[in-house]
Amino acid sequence: MDWPGIFAFSIPPLETLVRGTVMYWLLFLLFRFVVRRDVGSMGIADILLIVIVADAAQNGMAGDGKSVTDAALLVITLVAWNMALDRLAFHFPPVRRFVDPEKVMLIRNGRKLRDNMRRQSITDEELEAKYRQQGIESIDDVKALYLEADGNVSVIKRK
């Protein structure tokens, strides 16, 4: 057992920080601006963090030439960026608008807003399933339906 090799850095720590930072921002931007926001899905940052932390941790656990210390530093870098974005978004509205997509109205006064549905790649079937899940039988009973920033749907019923 090579105890020092397990815990010694196998690449310079600054390189790990830079690699982690570049990959975090690259994937964040891809998820935020390119990947479809699924109806009722987890938040973008949640998915991103799970995927890249799992991959970063795997490098240290697999023993493929990377040390546990390298993997730990990378995971800490990724979690730090995620926490920093959450805190900045909480305190600064411009950051919040960048980090979280705005809500999108998909139904107004019983009418589907086709342009908004098209931009979000939401089918009629998906939309209908969402208002039925809210206990609404007909689109005529919907005053407004929004796709929220986290992918969930909120419905305002007509009175």
Side-chain angles (χ1 to χ4, degrees):
M1 185 69 68
D2 178 21
W3 289 106
I6 291 173
F7 294 104
F9 286 108
S10 61
I11 60 175
L14 182 58
E15 182 178 338
T16 300
L17 289 169
V18 170
R19 287 174 180 265
T21 297
V22 168
M23 289 308 299
Y24 182 90
W25 282 102
L26 172 70
L27 291 169
F28 178 85
L29 293 171
L30 284 171
F31 275 96
R32 171 63 176 88
F33 295 107
V34 177
V35 176
R36 177 181 171 209
R37 176 173 38 160
D38 286 331
V39 177
S41 66
M42 293 173 51
I44 293 168
D46 299 328
I47 294 168
L48 172 65
L49 188 62
I50 290 167
V51 170
I52 59 181
V53 165
D55 185 53
Q58 180 273 335
N59 290 337
M61 293 186 296
D64 60 353
K66 308 282 188 219
S67 71
V68 171
T69 309
D70 292 329
L73 180 58
L74 185 53
V75 168
I76 290 167
T77 301
L78 300 171
V79 170
W81 273 114
N82 197 59
M83 291 174 62
L85 278 178
D86 284 348
R87 288 212 169 90
L88 288 170
F90 179 77
H91 292 291
F92 301 103
V95 175
R96 187 177 319 121
R97 284 190 296 275
F98 173 72
V99 170
D100 295 324
E102 290 190 20
K103 68 181 177 201
V104 177
M105 183 181 277
L106 300 175
I107 297 176
R108 180 188 306 129
N109 296 323
R111 295 183 179 244
K112 296 176 184 173
L113 302 177
R114 296 276 180 201
D115 288 342
N116 291 353
M117 289 173 61
R118 193 174 308 108
R119 273 193 294 278
Q120 299 300 318
S121 300
I122 295 175
T123 66
D124 287 336
E125 293 78 19
E126 289 175 310
L127 191 60
E128 291 163 7
K130 286 302 171 185
Y131 65 73
R132 283 194 311 269
Q133 289 171 354
Q134 300 290 323
I136 298 173
E137 293 181 34
S138 169
I139 194 171
D140 295 327
D141 297 329
V142 178
K143 179 177 181 181
L145 183 144
Y146 295 93
L147 176 62
E148 301 293 345
D150 63 0
N152 286 315
V153 170
S154 59
V155 179
I156 301 170
K157 299 177 186 180
R158 287 190 183 193
K159 294 182 181 181

